[in-house]
Amino acid sequence: MTIFRRAENVLLPQYLVDQARQLETYYVDATFNFLPTRHTDSVFLYGPTAHFRNYLDRYGLEYKPEEIEFHVEEYAYEYLLHWCKTYNRLKSFNQISGWDMFDVLNNMNRVFGLPDISRKKYVTKLKEKEKKFLQEREKWKKKLLEYEAESSKRG
């Protein structure tokens, strides 16, 4: 059985069911989603990715080159329009709000065949703010402990 994946999410329960049934299952990434998405209730841009072509070649499935030609730019406007309409809804937006620009850029690199980038090198403003917040919190915790120690000496 072959399943064409549409999202980055890994569905562990599905893998467990496949193993329990002793199914020979192949999961093939066939999405060009470069914006945040969810496994369900989302917008998906399907197409013949490099993984899909590798799958066809590996199993000797014949195809004509024009059958797997795909130009993301032909579908980008419609994809972006539907994505905006979907995530303009607050409930949908809240489900992807944890993504940051690093995630978007890394997905774009994957879609366009560019190398992945490292989160260690690419620090987003969100991560910088989180780091500053944690540092500030530690500073205030230290001050509170010092104050409590001084208070217990006096009292």
Side-chain angles (χ1 to χ4, degrees):
M1 173 171 47
T2 302
I3 297 175
F4 296 107
R5 290 182 26 165
R6 64 177 179 256
E8 292 295 310
N9 318 42
V10 174
L11 291 179
L12 184 58
Q14 181 64 53
Y15 293 137
L16 295 174
V17 168
D18 294 349
Q19 287 180 345
R21 291 183 170 177
Q22 298 180 340
L23 298 175
E24 188 174 342
T25 309
Y26 301 93
Y27 291 86
V28 180
D29 183 6
T31 178
F32 282 92
N33 297 340
F34 52 87
L35 293 173
T37 191
R38 296 178 350 99
H39 183 73
T40 58
D41 187 34
S42 198
V43 178
F44 305 105
L45 180 58
Y46 284 108
T49 62
H51 302 290
F52 178 73
R53 287 190 297 277
N54 290 342
Y55 169 79
L56 295 176
D57 293 342
R58 181 177 178 185
Y59 293 99
L61 301 171
E62 293 183 24
Y63 59 90
K64 296 176 186 165
E66 63 272 9
E67 291 177 322
I68 60 166
E69 260 184 37
F70 186 76
H71 302 283
V72 174
E73 61 276 8
E74 291 178 28
Y75 304 96
Y77 176 80
E78 188 174 346
Y79 169 73
L80 290 169
L81 180 64
H82 288 293
W83 189 91
C84 287
K85 287 179 180 179
T86 298
Y87 292 104
N88 277 335
R89 296 190 310 262
L90 185 59
K91 182 180 176 186
S92 295
F93 173 80
N94 287 337
Q95 294 171 340
I96 63 162
S97 62
W99 281 57
D100 60 28
M101 285 309 297
F102 171 86
D103 300 314
V104 174
L105 180 58
N106 226 10
N107 269 4
M108 287 180 151
N109 286 341
R110 186 179 53 82
V111 166
F112 295 113
L114 300 172
D116 284 348
I117 56 176
S118 166
R119 188 171 283 283
K120 291 178 184 176
K121 290 182 182 179
Y122 292 79
V123 180
T124 63
K125 287 183 181 180
L126 188 62
K127 291 292 178 190
E128 279 185 25
K129 285 181 182 180
E130 179 183 29
K131 183 179 174 184
K132 286 178 184 178
F133 169 77
L134 293 174
Q135 289 170 342
E136 193 70 19
R137 184 176 75 174
E138 288 304 311
K139 183 175 84 175
W140 283 105
K141 279 171 84 173
K142 184 178 176 184
K143 284 184 179 185
L144 179 61
L145 290 173
E146 289 170 0
Y147 175 76
E148 288 173 347
E150 286 295 318
S151 293
S152 66
K153 285 180 187 177
R154 285 187 240 147

